[in-house]
Amino acid sequence: MPAPRRPDDRDDLDADRERPRPRRAAPRGRQREARFELDFGDFEPSERTRTGSRDERTRDGGRTRGTISDTYEPIDPLPPRRRPRAGEPLPDESGTYDVRLEDRDRRSRRRVAEVEERASQSARPARDDVEHEIEALERFEDAIESVRSPSDRGGGSDLGARVLVAVPAAIVAILLVAAGGPVFVAGIAAFGLVGVWELTRMFAKTRPSLFAGGVGVLAVIVAAALGDREAMLTALVASVPIVFLSVALSHPKGSMPGVAVTLLGIVWIGLALGHAVLLRDSQHGAGIVVDVLIGVFLGDTGAYLGGRMFGNRKLWPRVSPNKTIEGLLIGVIVAVAAVWFAGLYQDWLSGTDALLIGLAVAVVAPLGDLFESFLKRDAGTKDAGGLFGVHGGVLDRLDAAMFGIVAGYYVWLAMGMT
C-alpha cells in the first residue's frame, strides 16, 4: 500500500495564496492625496512625470520615491480666505460663490434680525420700569388722599401732631440762637452729626464713611466759628483726603459712591450749618437768623395747608408727588409776609430789606425741600429719620432751612451788614 503523500513546500505556498488576507490600509501618502483630491479636485499626473517615475523605479529596483512636485503638475496657490467685515455685502458672482452659502447667510441674517427685534420689544431699560413703578405709586398715593376724611385732609390729627412737635423744636431753636457763641455752635454741630448719620444710613449700600463725614462737618463748623469763609473753605478742602483714606481703608476693593455720599454730606450739611454760624456772628445776626427760620417754617406750613386745600396741579411728581404749584405759591406769599411782619419789630431792619430777605428765603427754601425729597426718592425711603416724630429726622426738618440760611447770609452780605 503506498504511503500517504506528504505535502511539500509548494503545496504550502499554494494554500497561503488561496487563504484570504486582511486588507491593508492605504499608505499615509495616498491618504493625503485622497484628501487633496476631495478638497481641490482630481489632478492626474502628466505623461512625462508618470513615465519618468516608472523608469526610475525600474532602474533602482522599485525603491526610489518621488516628491509631490515630481508627481503632479504645479498649480497656482488659492487666494487666502477673508472673512467679510460687518456691513460688507456678500459676493454673489455666479460661478465663484455657492448658492447654498448665500441661502445660509440670508437665513442667519434673518434670525439675527428676529432676535434683535424680540430683545428690543421685551427687554426695556430698567429706568423705564422704575419710572412706571413710581407713577403707579403716585397714583396709589393720590387714591389714598382722595378717600381720606375731611378732618385728616384739612388739619385734623396730622396737623395737631405736627404742631406738637414744631412748637418745642421752635423754642429750642430760638434759645440756641439767643445764646449764641459756643452754645449755638455746639447745638449746630449736634444737628450736623445727626444729619450725617441719617444721610449715611439712607445710602448705606454705597458704603460711605460716617467717621469721615462727621469729622468733615465738625471741621467746617469749627472753622466758621473761629475764622471766616476762607477758613471754612480750607477745612472743606482738608476733609477730602480724610474721606479718601477712610473709605479706602474700610473698603480696599473701592467704593467711589461711598466717597461721593460722604463728600455730599460735608458740602451740603457742613457748609450750610457753617453759614448759619457766620450769619449768627454777623451784625444783628441773631435777628436775621430768627427771620430766616420764621420765613422757612411758616412758608413750609403755608405750602402744606395751601396744597391740602387748593392744590390740584402737581409741582414735580417724580421728585415729590405731594407738592403742588398752588401750595408753592401760597408758601412763597406766606414766607415773604412772615419775614416782613417780623421786621416790623426790628428797628434796624427796613421794610424793603425785610421783603428782599423774605423773597430770597421763600424762593430758595423750597429747592432745599425738593433736593432732600430727591435724595429720599433715590434711596427708597419716606423719612430720613425719626427724631422729630411726624416731621421725620433732622434732614427732613432742616432741609429747607439749610438752603434758606445760605441765601439769607449772602443777601445780608450784599446789604453790607456782615
Side-chain angles (χ1 to χ4, degrees):
M1 181 176 180
R5 182 176 179 273
R6 186 176 181 180
D8 54 4
D9 295 339
R10 186 179 300 278
D11 294 336
D12 293 340
L13 293 176
D14 296 338
D16 291 340
R17 293 193 188 95
E18 295 176 359
R19 186 182 302 117
R21 297 181 180 181
R23 187 175 181 181
R24 298 175 59 184
R28 186 177 301 275
R30 181 55 190 161
Q31 293 178 3
R32 288 197 296 266
E33 294 174 4
R35 286 197 298 268
F36 187 85
E37 292 175 359
L38 289 177
D39 293 339
F40 302 102
D42 187 9
F43 295 93
E44 293 292 339
S46 63
E47 294 295 334
R48 181 186 57 80
T49 306
R50 285 188 292 182
T51 303
S53 299
R54 185 167 55 251
D55 295 341
E56 292 177 3
R57 285 197 296 269
T58 301
R59 288 194 301 267
D60 297 342
R63 297 181 178 274
T64 303
R65 299 182 60 184
T67 60
I68 294 179
S69 61
D70 298 330
T71 306
Y72 294 98
E73 289 289 344
I75 60 173
D76 296 334
L78 295 176
R81 300 180 64 182
R82 183 178 64 84
R83 298 182 62 183
R85 297 187 178 89
E88 181 179 354
L90 295 174
D92 56 355
E93 294 82 5
S94 61
T96 59
Y97 188 71
D98 194 350
V99 178
R100 292 173 298 177
L101 296 179
E102 183 179 3
D103 295 339
R104 185 194 63 184
D105 295 337
R106 186 183 301 108
R107 291 194 300 270
S108 300
R109 288 194 298 268
R110 184 169 61 253
R111 286 196 296 268
V112 171
E114 292 175 356
V115 171
E116 291 179 352
E117 184 178 0
R118 287 197 301 268
S120 62
Q121 292 178 358
S122 61
R124 292 180 176 273
R127 184 174 181 179
D128 295 340
D129 297 339
V130 173
E131 291 178 356
H132 291 323
E133 292 179 3
I134 292 175
E135 293 177 359
L137 290 174
E138 292 172 357
R139 289 194 296 268
F140 178 75
E141 292 177 358
D142 294 338
I144 294 297
E145 292 291 334
S146 63
V147 300
R148 283 185 177 178
S149 62
S151 61
D152 294 336
R153 290 172 58 84
S157 59
D158 190 14
L159 182 60
R162 285 176 175 271
V163 172
L164 289 177
V165 175
V167 171
I171 294 175
V172 171
I174 291 175
L175 291 177
L176 289 177
V177 173
V183 176
F184 180 75
V185 173
I188 289 295
F191 285 132
L193 292 178
V194 176
V196 171
W197 175 78
E198 292 177 351
L199 181 64
T200 55
R201 188 176 65 91
M202 281 196 301
F203 294 97
K205 60 183 179 182
T206 64
R207 299 180 295 182
S209 175
L210 177 61
F211 169 76
V215 170
V217 168
L218 288 178
V220 172
I221 294 174
V222 172
L226 300 179
D228 51 7
R229 287 177 297 170
E230 294 182 359
M232 190 170 57
L233 181 60
T234 303
L236 174 62
V237 174
S239 64
V240 175
I242 298 177
V243 172
F244 162 68
L245 292 176
S246 178
V247 175
L249 293 177
S250 301
H251 309 286
K253 293 184 178 180
S255 178
M256 185 58 198
V259 174
V261 171
T262 307
L263 289 177
L264 172 64
I266 298 175
V267 173
W268 176 33
I269 302 172
L271 288 182
L273 298 182
H275 280 85
V277 174
L278 294 178
L279 183 60
R280 175 60 183 83
D281 293 340
S282 64
Q283 185 179 1
H284 304 295
I288 296 299
V289 171
V290 172
D291 292 342
V292 170
L293 295 179
I294 288 175
V296 169
F297 294 139
L298 292 184
D300 183 62
T301 303
Y304 174 78
L305 296 178
R308 287 300 182 103
M309 292 185 293
F310 307 106
N312 291 321
R313 292 183 289 272
K314 298 294 184 180
L315 177 62
W316 200 343
R318 294 185 179 181
V319 175
S320 184
N322 294 326
K323 290 181 174 55
T324 60
I325 297 177
E326 294 83 1
L328 174 64
L329 296 177
I330 294 174
V332 170
I333 294 174
V334 171
V336 174
V339 176
W340 177 81
F341 186 78
L344 296 177
Y345 297 90
Q346 298 169 341
D347 298 336
W348 44 267
L349 184 64
S350 64
T352 303
D353 294 342
L355 288 175
L356 292 176
I357 295 175
L359 183 61
V361 171
V363 172
V364 176
L367 293 178
D369 196 358
L370 290 173
F371 178 73
E372 201 252 349
S373 298
F374 175 77
L375 294 180
K376 290 190 297 184
R377 176 61 62 90
D378 188 69
T381 182
K382 183 179 180 296
D383 293 323
L387 183 62
F388 293 101
V390 295
H391 290 279
V394 170
L395 297 180
D396 298 312
R397 186 68 275 180
L398 299 182
D399 51 359
M402 288 190 293
F403 274 51
I405 284 289
V406 177
Y409 170 78
Y410 284 104
V411 171
W412 194 238
L413 178 66
M415 294 177 181
M417 298 297 179
T418 58

